[in-house]
Amino acid sequence: MMLCPINMECRVVHELDLGGTNIIIIGEVVQTYSEEKYLTNNIPDLKKINPILVSIYEFNYYNVGEKIGKAWDVGKNYGN
């Protein structure tokens, strides 16, 4: 059993110290790993992965919803 459907190996490119314990780390993905059951045509499939999102601000978890349209196209009218 895989605990995380998609794993990404990253190389640290830059660290930005925001003070205190706050650091932003910029990374470059150098390798990805996944079980075949989470892929379609060798590409990660969101329906098979069924990811959850966390809102730290709200302390809530969310599922990824239905497709709303084609990227860089639907966004022109989304929310209007």
Side-chain angles (χ1 to χ4, degrees):
M1 177 174 97
M2 188 176 218
L3 298 176
C4 185
I6 301 290
N7 292 280
M8 295 182 203
E9 180 181 342
C10 299
R11 178 180 64 83
V12 175
V13 173
H14 184 72
E15 291 184 28
L16 179 61
D17 188 347
L18 300 178
T21 59
N22 300 306
I23 299 173
I24 295 176
I25 299 174
I26 309 294
E28 173 188 8
V29 177
V30 294
Q31 185 64 270
T32 58
Y33 308 92
S34 180
E35 290 184 54
E36 288 290 323
K37 69 181 182 178
Y38 296 113
L39 305 176
T40 298
N41 298 323
N42 214 29
I43 297 172
D45 187 321
L46 285 177
K47 289 184 179 180
K48 292 178 180 178
I49 295 169
N50 193 25
I52 59 169
L53 306 171
V54 63
S55 170
I56 298 298
Y57 176 75
E58 301 173 351
F59 297 104
N60 290 321
Y61 291 109
Y62 293 92
N63 284 334
V64 173
E66 292 295 315
K67 176 179 134 183
I68 60 170
K70 191 111 175 110
W72 293 277
D73 184 45
V74 73
K76 296 174 188 173
N77 298 316
Y78 190 73
N80 292 334

